[in-house]
Amino acid sequence: AIITHPSQKPHFRFSSLETSALLLVFSARASPSDEQARCFHTTMEESGGFSGPAGTHTPSGAGTIKRIRLENFMCHSNLQIELGPRVNFITGQNGSGKSAILTAICVAFGSRAKGTQRASTLKDFIKTGCSHATVEVVIKNEGHDAFKHDIYGNSIILERRINQTAGSMTLKDHRGLCSFTIFNYIR
């Protein structure tokens, strides 16, 4: 993810030429300008991020995040975002929950609260006044890199539930049927 300040030109760095999706987060005052978008497009072409002419893209492989759903997570009561296969822009005012979406992705993939540098325990992510929080991430599972496609199908669903005393991580197939669940107690 790339977070920019309104007065800064965004810098793009790719750790792998196999990056299939990118989430960009801007504050409302820092929406990408035409110049920034051209700079980004040029950078993507130079890095091998696009394989076709401008404005076209090829289908991304397994592992791309398709959807994020948050319930009572940080400032979000109920949020669902459908992501595109390549570049996704999230804009909003300061404090509107842009970084909470990135934090939720980290938590869904098993990050500890301290690892996010946003909280000291997982229960701190539960929205004030609520008893639990849920983060669900749907991941594309298609193509030659698919993980156990015969079991999970075209999507894998990761669900992380948090309450005041315990949490769980569940792996589900494309129909929402549970493959396995790991429970842990929150201190």
Side-chain angles (χ1 to χ4, degrees), residues 123 126 131 161-168 184-187:
K123 66 183 177 184
I126 301 172
S131 60
R161 293 186 53 83
I162 306 165
N163 65 37
Q164 295 296 324
T165 59
S168 66
N184 62 313
Y185 292 96
I186 299 173
R187 295 180 202 133

Side-chain angles (χ1 to χ4, degrees), residues 121-140:
T121 67
L122 287 174
K123 66 183 177 184
D124 295 338
F125 291 128
I126 301 172
K127 184 176 180 174
T128 303
C130 298
S131 60
H132 73 281
T134 302
V135 176
E136 182 182 274
V137 176
V138 179
I139 303 165
K140 187 174 182 177

Side-chain angles (χ1 to χ4, degrees), residues 100-165:
I101 296 167
L102 296 175
T103 301
I105 293 169
C106 293
V107 167
F109 282 99
S111 180
R112 294 175 182 237
K114 288 183 181 180
T116 67
Q117 299 179 355
R118 307 274 301 188
S120 57
T121 67
L122 287 174
K123 66 183 177 184
D124 295 338
F125 291 128
I126 301 172
K127 184 176 180 174
T128 303
C130 298
S131 60
H132 73 281
T134 302
V135 176
E136 182 182 274
V137 176
V138 179
I139 303 165
K140 187 174 182 177
N141 192 41
E142 300 173 15
H144 67 281
D145 290 335
F147 177 73
K148 297 184 179 182
H149 189 269
D150 54 324
I151 296 172
Y152 293 102
N154 290 338
S155 297
I156 297 175
I157 303 168
L158 291 170
E159 181 182 85
R160 185 107 186 234
R161 293 186 53 83
I162 306 165
N163 65 37
Q164 295 296 324
T165 59

Side-chain angles (χ1 to χ4, degrees), residues 36 99 163:
Q36 290 171 331
S99 295
N163 65 37

